Structures are given as C-alpha cells and as structure tokens.
C-alpha cells in the first residue's frame, strides 16, 4: 500500500475505509451537536433560575 494512500484512509480494508476528511467532519458535527445541547440545557436552566 502506498504511503500517500495510507495517510488518506483510516481502518482495515480499502473497501471499508473512511477518509480522514470525512472522519474529521463527522467528529466536528458530533462535537457541535454536544455543544448545542449543553448550551441550550444551560440556557433553559439559567432562565428558569433567574425568573424564580
């Protein structure tokens, strides 16, 4: 396997590999989703806390 091909792909066989770019995009989407959920949870509870 060529070194450049091994840098572009992570995993076992070439048919099931995922590119580093796609893996990075997927990880960023997951982290963005976690951030949005935590931020909305925080804002909802702070709003309730301030209004009491």
């Amino acid at each position: 396997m060529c070194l450049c091909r091994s840098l572009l792909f992570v995993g076992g066989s070439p048919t099931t590999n995922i590119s580093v770019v796609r893996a990075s995009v997927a990880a960023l989407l997951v982290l963005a989703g976690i951030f949005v959920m935590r931020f909305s949870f925080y804002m909802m509870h702070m709003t309730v806390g301030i209004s009491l």
Side-chain angles (χ1 to χ4, degrees), residues 1-49:
M1 183 178 267
C2 174
L3 177 62
C4 58
R5 184 167 175 85
S6 64
L7 289 175
L8 290 174
F9 292 97
V10 179
S13 66
T15 57
T16 59
N17 283 338
I18 182 169
S19 70
V20 173
V21 174
R22 288 184 71 184
S24 299
V25 169
L28 286 174
L29 286 173
V30 168
L31 291 174
I34 291 170
F35 174 78
V36 167
M37 291 302 293
R38 288 185 66 180
F39 184 77
S40 61
F41 179 84
Y42 170 75
M43 290 306 290
M44 283 186 289
H45 285 77
M46 283 299 292
T47 302
V48 171

